[in-house]
Amino acid sequence: MESVCFTGACPDMTREELTKMAEEKFEVRKSVTKDLDILVCADPNAGSSKLEKAKKNGTRIISYEDFLEMLDSDDDDDDDEDGLYSHAEAKKILKHLRKAYAEECVRINTSVENEPLPMTASKFGGLPYWEKGVEFPKTSEEVECEQEPLFLLAQINFAEVPHLPDYPEKGLLQIFIHGDDLYGMDCYDEQGDNSSQKLWRIVWHEDFSEERAMTERELHEMGVRSVAEASGDDDNYFPLDKEYAISFEKALSFVTPCLDDFDEKIRQAAKDLALPVYEDEDSCDMFSENDFENFCDDNAPFHQIGGLPFYTQSDVRREGDILLFQMDSEHTDNGWEILWGDSGVANFFIKREDLKKKDFSHVIYNWDCY
């Protein structure tokens, strides 16, 4: 029986009513421990002690709405035993998989402010930090398009970022892209891995200050615009259309079916738990559709630095690559806020040795969608 703990108020019923319902399917606990299976919360960003401890432990965190749907759907689970593993076995394996192979990362949260952000602030979109007399990133002369300034996709002030091993502790990282229909991704560059940076660019500022930043007027005089200012153009396309303030928090990233070694990790988890091992089967056949979809939903991607990446098509990483930055598609109550094609995700990969040297000239950029 899985264990569950609650934090915050359930909008539809009292805690006593919810507990009584949950006890038919779950072991209800009053505190968060390392072996807790599920924490149900009203707000995943509330910052409560239970929530922070659950995040640190890698505990599955869901909303009250999702938990109530789980209670309603569990009655039908026995009708969905079409995987090689039973529901009980699947839950054990997937829980083990989640905890055994988790990797620390920095999660990026977005918000929209009423006023433009400072030039040196961490942000998605908006106008970039830039200094007078320094050549601004433009589309390469080697491509068949008019040479023009690139647009800021993301700017990360690493002094604001919780530290990860080998990642910078200070400095300003900027990612620029072209506003074409592939958002600057060049599938046909001579390296074959989109690392030539002809239609996109990584810029690193080891030293910077607000006092040296060009003003909005000065940037506009150079022809520099934000994605918000250019998104209404007929010939410009971007995955986002406004400036976002971003904040950072330590988190855990988890293995997902997109990773090349996912099936092998499934088999290792089964061995660790002394369960049957299916050497020649794909993971999607080992589990029922319901179990597999629940696992994927619980480990959905997000904007992040470091950790395990997510992608919708094939793994483009070279040997030795780690995740520098990931920007996911983002949906809110107002609809799609950030959208890579058809609900896709963008990744920037770098070799660990290059990251240690702060050499961003060999980064690869890829985005894909469903």
Side-chain angles (χ1 to χ4, degrees), residues 56-114:
K56 184 177 180 181
N57 293 341
T59 302
R60 179 183 174 190
I61 299 171
I62 64 174
S63 67
Y64 278 102
E65 181 181 1
D66 289 341
F67 184 68
L68 291 174
E69 288 183 5
M70 185 186 298
L71 290 177
D72 289 338
S73 63
D74 273 355
D75 290 336
D76 300 327
D77 276 354
D78 291 338
D79 298 330
D80 189 32
E81 293 279 4
D82 56 355
L84 296 173
Y85 291 113
S86 68
H87 291 301
E89 291 172 332
K91 286 180 179 179
K92 288 181 181 179
I93 290 173
L94 296 174
K95 176 184 175 182
H96 181 80
L97 194 73
R98 180 180 170 88
K99 294 197 174 184
Y101 299 106
E103 287 191 15
E104 192 174 46
C105 68
V106 171
R107 182 169 187 150
I108 303 174
N109 302 307
T110 63
S111 63
V112 178
E113 305 297 327
N114 294 326

Side-chain angles (χ1 to χ4, degrees), residues 80-97 257 262-263 265-267 269-270 273 275-276 278 281-296:
D80 189 32
E81 293 279 4
D82 56 355
L84 296 173
Y85 291 113
S86 68
H87 291 301
E89 291 172 332
K91 286 180 179 179
K92 288 181 181 179
I93 290 173
L94 296 174
K95 176 184 175 182
H96 181 80
L97 194 73
F262 181 76
D263 287 0
K265 282 183 166 56
I266 291 287
R267 283 185 272 272
L273 296 168
L275 292 172
Y278 300 102
E281 300 291 342
D282 293 333
S283 55
C284 56
D285 296 323
M286 297 183 206
F287 306 104
S288 72
E289 183 177 350
N290 187 54
D291 288 329
F292 199 69
E293 287 183 355
N294 285 340
F295 176 80
C296 294

Side-chain angles (χ1 to χ4, degrees), residues 5-9 39-46 48 51 61-65:
C5 181
F6 304 111
T7 183
L39 178 67
V40 184
C41 66
D43 179 5
N45 299 312
S48 69
L51 195 56
I61 299 171
I62 64 174
S63 67
Y64 278 102
E65 181 181 1

